[in-house]
Every structure is written in structure tokens, then in C-alpha cells.
Amino acid sequence: MKRMLLALALASSTLLSAAASAETLKIGTEGAYPPFNFQDSAGNLGGFDVEIGLALCEKMKVECEVVGQDWDGIIPGLIAKKYDMIIASMFITEERKKQVAFTDPYYLAAMTHAAPKNSGITDFTNEGMKGKTIGAQSGTTQADYAAAVYPDADIKLYPTQDEVNLDMANGRLDLQVGDMIPLLDWVTKNDDGKACCELIGEPITDPKFVGEGVGIAVRQDDNDLREKLNAALKAIREDGTYQKINDKYFSIDIYTMK
């Protein structure tokens, strides 16, 4: 009987270990914010955010699945347990901390303006923007910035950054406010962006809007996962994995913006 109980205990322990090792974490990302996250022609999610997320999962020795989610519903989706973490270039802000917990930043953040070439825009005050049509992606800190700084402008909000870019390329916007790296990528590498537009003005680095950097969001009670992600982030910085992924997409180290 003792041998049978011991055998059953060992079998149960093996099954539990197998279940633990088979745990799959889900990464939520937008899939519409190149080069950070996007969908390819086959519908697969990729980009800097996705590759960093998968590298972190590998370092934590867990299987991970990437889930696409529209930006407007990305925090509600995390809270509803549709996925376990958000890796989608989300600025760490005090307002968002009321709903989710963040890891350490995995890159620094700055915003900028883009405008049609030769727009002549030099006055970035509310008075200077009065009557102009300014675009931004809805639910973002860029949208918050445009509304707060340019209350007398006509602010147009869009579900995705691609739609903001499209309207600008088609001459429907005088200006847009966006995340610096994707907009730089658009005006230097994308055919439509190169043809129509340029970055103007100084980078926007006000902590009120860009926060403390860009972090991975987890549910507020999931501190164990947050700590594991922080340890994994430190490890991929130290072993060169982060730099290898960074260099695939960017000419500078966006962890330090140098």
C-alpha cells in the first residue's frame, strides 16, 4: 500500500511538473504600429515589440502566444484576462498605473510632430495651431497631448496610426502628433511618407505625456510575472539579445536613445 501511495504521489508530481512546464503565457499587442508591431501579409504578428516579448519568454523558459488586439481595447483585454501582458509600445504614465502595473522600461519614449513638406509651421503654441487640423491615434498619449496643448485646433482621432498617416499623405491633415520612432520610420522608409511629409519641431519629452518610458503592462495583482519580466529584460540586455533585435529595426539603441 505504501509503495502504491508513493507511486501515485510521484505520478501526480510528474503530471503537475509537466503542466507547469506546459504553461503558455499570452502577449497582447496591437499589430498596427510598425516597426514596433504589425501584421504581415500572412496575418502573422511581428515587429520589435513581438520579438522582444518572445525573447523574454524564452529567457523565462515559458511558451508564449501572441494575441492581436485593437489599441482602444488593449487594457480592458488585459484586465479581462484575454492575455497576460501587453507589449505594444505603451508609455508608462500615472493614469495607466491606476489600471495596470508596469515593468521597468524596455525603451525610452519621445513624441514628435509630422507635417507636409514645406508646411511653414514653426509656431507650436495653441495660437499658432488655431484652426489647423491635427491628427493622432485615439486612446494614446499623443492624442492627450494634442487635446491639451492645442485646444483651439481641429483634433481628428483615428483607430490606428496607419490611418493617421494615410490622411496626412492624402492632404487631409495640417499636422500630426505621434511617437517619434514610428514617425521617423514612416518619413524615411515608407514611400508615401517619404514623398509627402517630414518631422518638424523639437522632440516632445514632457514626462506628463511620455511618462517614464515604454513598459510591459501586467495586471496589478500579477507582481510575480512583473518581477520575472524585469529579470528577463535585464538578462537579454546583458547577453546581447536585446541589441540584436534592436539593430534589426533601428540605427540607434532605443533603450538609451543613443
Side-chain angles (χ1 to χ4, degrees):
M1 179 63 73
K2 286 181 180 177
R3 287 177 184 159
M4 186 180 293
L5 290 172
L6 179 60
L8 286 170
L10 288 170
S12 175
S13 175
T14 301
L15 286 171
L16 287 171
S17 296
S21 64
E23 177 190 14
T24 299
L25 295 177
K26 292 184 178 181
I27 299 169
T29 198
E30 184 186 12
Y33 205 57
F36 289 97
N37 54 78
F38 54 79
Q39 273 192 318
D40 64 19
S41 57
N44 300 311
L45 290 161
F48 176 80
D49 289 331
V50 173
E51 292 198 37
I52 289 293
L54 294 177
L56 294 173
C57 291
E58 183 176 348
K59 193 62 70 174
M60 294 189 296
K61 294 181 168 50
V62 295
E63 293 293 321
C64 280
E65 175 187 344
V66 184
V67 178
Q69 171 65 55
D70 290 343
W71 181 260
D72 286 349
I74 207 162
I75 288 180
L78 176 68
I79 293 169
K81 300 187 177 181
K82 184 175 178 180
Y83 28 82
D84 303 289
M85 63 189 100
I86 297 170
I87 308 183
S89 291
M90 182 174 283
F91 290 2
I92 302 168
T93 66
E94 292 303 317
E95 190 63 29
R96 287 175 178 149
K97 284 181 184 178
K98 295 174 184 177
Q99 301 180 74
V100 299
F102 284 100
T103 63
D104 297 334
Y106 67 99
Y107 72 88
L108 295 185
M111 301 187 298
T112 190
H113 298 94
K117 289 181 178 178
N118 304 312
S119 67
I121 295 174
T122 57
D123 184 354
F124 295 93
T125 64
N126 179 50
E127 186 62 29
M129 294 298 169
K130 189 173 183 179
K132 294 191 183 299
T133 303
I134 301 176
Q137 184 180 3
S138 63
T140 64
T141 50
Q142 294 93 326
D144 294 341
Y145 180 88
V149 178
Y150 308 129
D152 291 330
D154 175 21
I155 308 296
K156 292 186 68 175
L157 301 181
Y158 301 77
T160 69
Q161 182 62 40
D162 283 346
E163 290 172 85
V164 187
N165 294 345
L166 182 63
D167 257 15
M168 172 151 278
N170 288 328
R172 299 189 186 103
L173 295 173
D174 298 306
L175 189 78
Q176 67 160 299
V177 181
D179 190 4
M180 187 169 182
I181 297 295
L183 276 186
L184 177 62
D185 194 68
W186 183 61
V187 301
T188 57
K189 298 179 182 177
N190 179 277
D191 288 342
D192 288 341
K194 285 193 294 184
C196 77
C197 302
E198 61 185 350
L199 302 189
I200 61 172
E202 295 296 319
I204 301 163
T205 56
D206 185 343
K208 180 180 177 182
F209 298 100
V210 302
E212 304 159 25
V214 174
I216 300 167
V218 299
R219 288 181 286 277
Q220 289 182 332
D221 59 356
D222 210 345
N223 193 56
D224 182 57
L225 176 57
R226 189 182 69 84
E227 290 183 351
K228 287 178 180 177
L229 286 165
N230 279 336
L233 177 60
K234 185 172 185 285
I236 67 170
R237 282 292 298 174
E238 291 174 349
D239 70 11
T241 301
Y242 183 102
Q243 198 64 47
K244 184 177 179 181
I245 297 169
N246 179 97
D247 293 349
K248 181 177 175 181
Y249 294 96
F250 312 109
S251 59
I252 62 170
D253 181 353
I254 65 169
Y255 188 82
T256 60
M257 284 296 180
K258 295 179 181 177

